[in-house]
Amino acid sequence: MQEKINTSSEAFYENELVSRKSFLKTAGSVALFAALGISFTGCSSDNGTENIVGPSQDTPPDGNSGFTISGNTITIDLTKDDASSLSNSGSWGLIAAAQTLVVNVGGSFRAFTSICTHAGCDRSWNFSNQQFVCTCHGSRFNTRGEVVQGPANRNLQEFSVTQSGNIVTIQK
Ligand code: FES
C-alpha cells in the first residue's frame, strides 16, 4: 500500500511506504490517506523535500481522494484534500495507480508516464530543482519530460491535460 502526502512546493515521491510520519515531518504536509489506502507523492521544494500524491497501484482511488481513474482517463478534483496540494505552482505528484506523474508549472498542469525510459521503474520518483528524478539510477527529466541526465536517453511520454476550474483531466 502506498501513502499520500501534500505540501506546497515541489516534491518527491517515494515508493509505497513513504511513511506518513516522515512525510509530515519533512514536508509539513497534510495527510489523510492511510485510512483510504491511497498514496500520493506530492510537493516539496527545490531542496529535495519529498511529497507524494496518488492512489496506489493496488488500491482503487477512493471517491473522496480527489483522484478518479477510469480507463485511460484520470480526473483530479483540486477541491479535495488529497489533491488540493497540486493547486500550488511547483507541486507535483505521482499517481501510482495510473503510472502517471503530474506537475503544476506556473498554474498549468503537465502529465507524463511514470515509467522511466531507462529501465522501467515507475514508483521511485523524486522532484527537485524543477526536475523529476528517477531514483532507481538517477535519470533526471525536466517539466517537459525531456531527459536532462541519463542513463535514460529517451524523454518521458507526455499525456494530454485539460483543466476546467478545479477539475484537471489527464488523458493517457
Ligand atoms: Fe529510471 Fe534507471 S529506471 S534511471
Side-chain angles (χ1 to χ4, degrees), residues 16-116:
E16 325 235 346
L17 289 182
V18 171
S19 99
R20 195 171 23 164
K21 262 189 182 176
S22 69
F23 235 163
L24 291 173
K25 274 186 188 171
T26 55
S29 330
V30 187
L32 53 90
F33 328 100
L36 302 175
I38 298 175
S39 281
F40 297 116
T41 310
C43 353
S44 80
S45 46
D46 281 346
N47 58 12
T49 331
E50 310 134 38
N51 239 357
I52 298 190
V53 187
S56 78
Q57 224 151 20
D58 307 316
T59 307
D62 180 282
N64 294 319
S65 70
F67 294 83
T68 304
I69 301 170
S70 176
N72 290 323
T73 303
I74 304 160
T75 304
I76 304 171
D77 183 345
L78 298 173
T79 66
K80 303 288 188 181
D81 285 347
D82 289 1
S84 61
S85 64
L86 290 172
S87 298
N88 302 315
S89 177
S91 298
W92 72 288
L94 168 66
I95 306 170
Q99 294 182 304
T100 297
L101 293 166
V102 59
V103 62
N104 180 332
V105 183
S108 295
F109 288 90
R110 300 188 78 145
F112 307 90
T113 179
S114 69
I115 303 172
C116 181

Side-chain angles (χ1 to χ4, degrees), residues 115-122 124-125 133-141 149-152:
I115 303 172
C116 181
T117 56
H118 172 234
C121 288
D122 68 344
S124 300
W125 290 97
V133 182
C134 176
T135 57
C136 279
H137 310 99
S139 293
R140 301 177 77 97
F141 303 84
Q149 177 180 299

